[in-house]
Amino acid sequence: MRFGVLGTGRVGQTLATKLVELGHEVMMGSRSRDNENAVAWAASAGDAGSNGTFADAAAFGEVLVNAVSGDGTLPALEAATADAIAGKVLIDVANPLDFSRGMPPSLTVSNEDSLAEQIQRAFPATKVVKTLNTVSAPVMVAPEIVPGEHVLFVSGDAADAKNIVVELLQSFGWPAGSIIDLGDITTARGPEMFLSLWVRLMLKQGTPIFNIGVQTG
Ligand SMILES: NC(=O)c1ccc[n+]([C@@H]2O[C@H](COP(=O)([O-])OP(=O)(O)OC[C@H]3O[C@@H](n4cnc5c(N)ncnc54)[C@H](OP(=O)(O)O)[C@@H]3O)[C@@H](O)[C@H]2O)c1
């Protein structure tokens, strides 16, 4: 399958590399065609990897990944263009974090709204699926590095899109039973607000390699 990965940071690089390892073709998108990270990644990825602008990557991908900073997300998707992302699954892994006042960051949207909902409202013809934002980049593609049973959340309005994403997550190594479909796109609020706790846990434990489990009684 062809993927457009929007974002050149740790997450974009990690997901793009895993997708190529799994046999997919990936174009990494950025604000500029000569972004150093993206050019270096494409050079290391072989024939299945390439890079371009956000618009190039959006046009290339059958499935898209939003791995852009929270504040850059809507501008990046506008640059990708509504037409190019219409009808496509957009896997949104971004967190609406504001680091302008240092650590810990605050959330730029919460409670009765979320970044995922802002994306879905701005691009109604795109099938937004929120997932993976509650774990660090290494855990996203190698859940086995965290011992024990732990979970991942999926939120989105389109059932067919969530099925595609759940299948992809399983190919990353997430057991079917560890993936919790929370419901429609409004359910992305919880996983995004979880970042307030995630950051505190990371600071307390001194590592981003952890995750949470859900036990029922
Ligand atoms: N790091 C993690 O382990 C982790 C875990 C879970 C979720 N996340 C979330 O995943 C996303 C990516 O995180 P990251 O650490 O890989 O990278 P990041 O530094 O948060 O984001 C890098 C990307 O954002 C783009 N960007 C920044 N400002 C922009 C703007 N004003 N307009 C358009 N694009 C803009 C950059 O574009 P250029 O390529 O043009 O520079 C770059 O591609 C974030 O939302 C983060 O919260 C991160």
Side-chain angles (χ1 to χ4, degrees):
M1 193 178 270
R2 288 195 314 277
F3 282 82
V5 173
L6 311 182
T8 60
R10 183 96 193 267
V11 175
Q13 302 244 351
T14 301
L15 293 176
T17 298
K18 183 68 178 183
L19 289 166
V20 168
E21 276 171 23
L22 291 170
H24 301 293
E25 289 178 68
V26 178
M27 185 182 290
M28 180 177 284
S30 159
R31 282 172 284 190
S32 69
R33 258 191 202 109
D34 56 2
N35 177 285
E36 273 181 26
N37 287 343
V39 169
W41 176 82
S44 71
D47 291 346
S50 58
N51 74 288
T53 62
F54 286 131
D56 295 333
F60 176 84
E62 298 163 281
V63 172
L64 307 176
V65 177
N66 174 37
V68 172
S69 62
D71 62 345
T73 287
L74 291 173
L77 292 172
E78 277 151 24
T81 78
D83 281 351
I85 69 172
K88 295 182 181 176
V89 177
L90 175 70
I91 304 171
D92 173 34
V93 309
N95 281 310
L97 300 178
D98 176 4
F99 291 96
S100 63
R101 282 169 290 171
M103 285 289 274
S106 55
L107 294 164
T108 59
V109 57
S110 62
N111 294 331
E112 295 180 343
D113 201 4
S114 60
L115 179 61
E117 289 167 88
Q118 291 177 337
I119 300 170
Q120 190 62 86
R121 279 199 303 275
F123 302 97
T126 299
K127 300 174 182 185
V128 181
V129 179
K130 186 98 204 180
T131 193
L132 289 171
N133 67 302
T134 53
V135 292
S136 61
V139 179
M140 290 180 186
V141 298
E144 68 280 3
I145 64 177
V146 176
E149 291 184 11
H150 53 99
V151 298
L152 205 55
F153 305 105
V154 175
S155 304
D157 291 340
D160 58 337
K162 286 193 284 192
N163 288 340
I164 290 168
V165 173
V166 166
E167 203 172 306
L168 184 70
L169 294 171
Q170 288 179 255
S171 76
F172 286 180
W174 290 92
S178 71
I179 302 167
I180 301 178
D181 181 348
L182 291 172
D184 69 17
I185 198 67
T186 66
T187 66
R189 295 172 194 175
E192 289 186 11
M193 289 191 283
F194 170 67
L195 260 291
S196 297
L197 177 58
W198 187 94
V199 171
R200 294 291 184 171
L201 286 169
M202 190 268 290
L203 292 172
K204 182 83 182 168
Q205 300 181 127
T207 175
I209 309 302
F210 67 88
N211 195 11
I212 57 164
V214 176
Q215 308 295 333
T216 54

